[in-house]
Amino acid sequence: MKNNYHYYQETQEDLHSNPAIFDFHFKSEAFRFHTDDGVFSKHYIDYGSFVLLKNFVPNSLPEPILDMGAGYGPIGIVLSRLYDKEVYMCEINQRAHALLEKNIVENRSRKAYAFHSNLYESLDSTLQFSSIVTNPPIRAGKQIVYSIYDGAYQRLVQGGELWVVIQKKQGAPSSKDYLTKLFGNCTIEAKDKGYYILKCIRN
């Protein structure tokens, strides 16, 4: 029988485990990621996440970065190691969260922290961030995606930035419109093979 589950759901208790490992090289740094069935982009970092990593530029604010919907950690772990920054990573999928914790250790990311969380729920309410990055779970629906945007506005410090990767065909123009109304600004930082990198600044 086929399992009726999605990577953005919390539990996959009845899903067979089929672990895998892949190596990822980025900006002269080497990473290794443990993955499994039931997580997003099991076999290699997806192209959208790669485009986000390629274009993200950290600001000079001292607060940590947040990776919302971190999966098994390819964005947050790379950013933490690359820029020697504290990065908090939230993931609802229990299997992906367990892999996220494993990958933090595997990649010696001493400033990376994993949270099993439905969106922002498990984070201390006083925590604020210099940047929030997300490759949002489009298949979870617009309500979830826009909840990520709304929460980001509340959680960013003044001058903090939200970075989003989203495909044009999966709603990049409508996301840009929504974010422009929410933040008062939204720029397209890059376009790459149908992926848009959107950046908003909390002013």
Side-chain angles (χ1 to χ4, degrees), residues 29-31 76-84 107-109:
E29 292 278 341
F31 301 89
I77 287 172
V78 171
L79 292 181
S80 183
R81 275 258 311 271
L82 206 60
Y83 299 111
D84 193 31
N107 291 284
R108 305 176 306 283
S109 299

Side-chain angles (χ1 to χ4, degrees), residues 72-135:
Y72 53 80
I75 296 176
I77 287 172
V78 171
L79 292 181
S80 183
R81 275 258 311 271
L82 206 60
Y83 299 111
D84 193 31
K85 290 274 292 183
E86 281 195 333
V87 178
Y88 291 66
M89 293 177 282
C90 290
E91 175 54 47
I92 189 172
N93 180 319
Q94 288 179 341
R95 180 171 289 183
H97 174 259
L99 291 164
L100 177 55
E101 291 187 318
K102 187 173 187 176
N103 287 327
I104 287 172
V105 175
E106 174 73 44
N107 291 284
R108 305 176 306 283
S109 299
R110 296 179 182 87
K111 293 185 177 181
Y113 308 97
F115 293 84
H116 181 229
S117 183
N118 181 11
L119 301 180
Y120 301 85
E121 286 180 2
S122 297
L123 295 173
D124 188 301
S125 61
T126 63
L127 268 176
Q128 288 193 295
F129 300 94
S130 60
S131 297
I132 296 176
V133 296
T134 186
N135 184 350

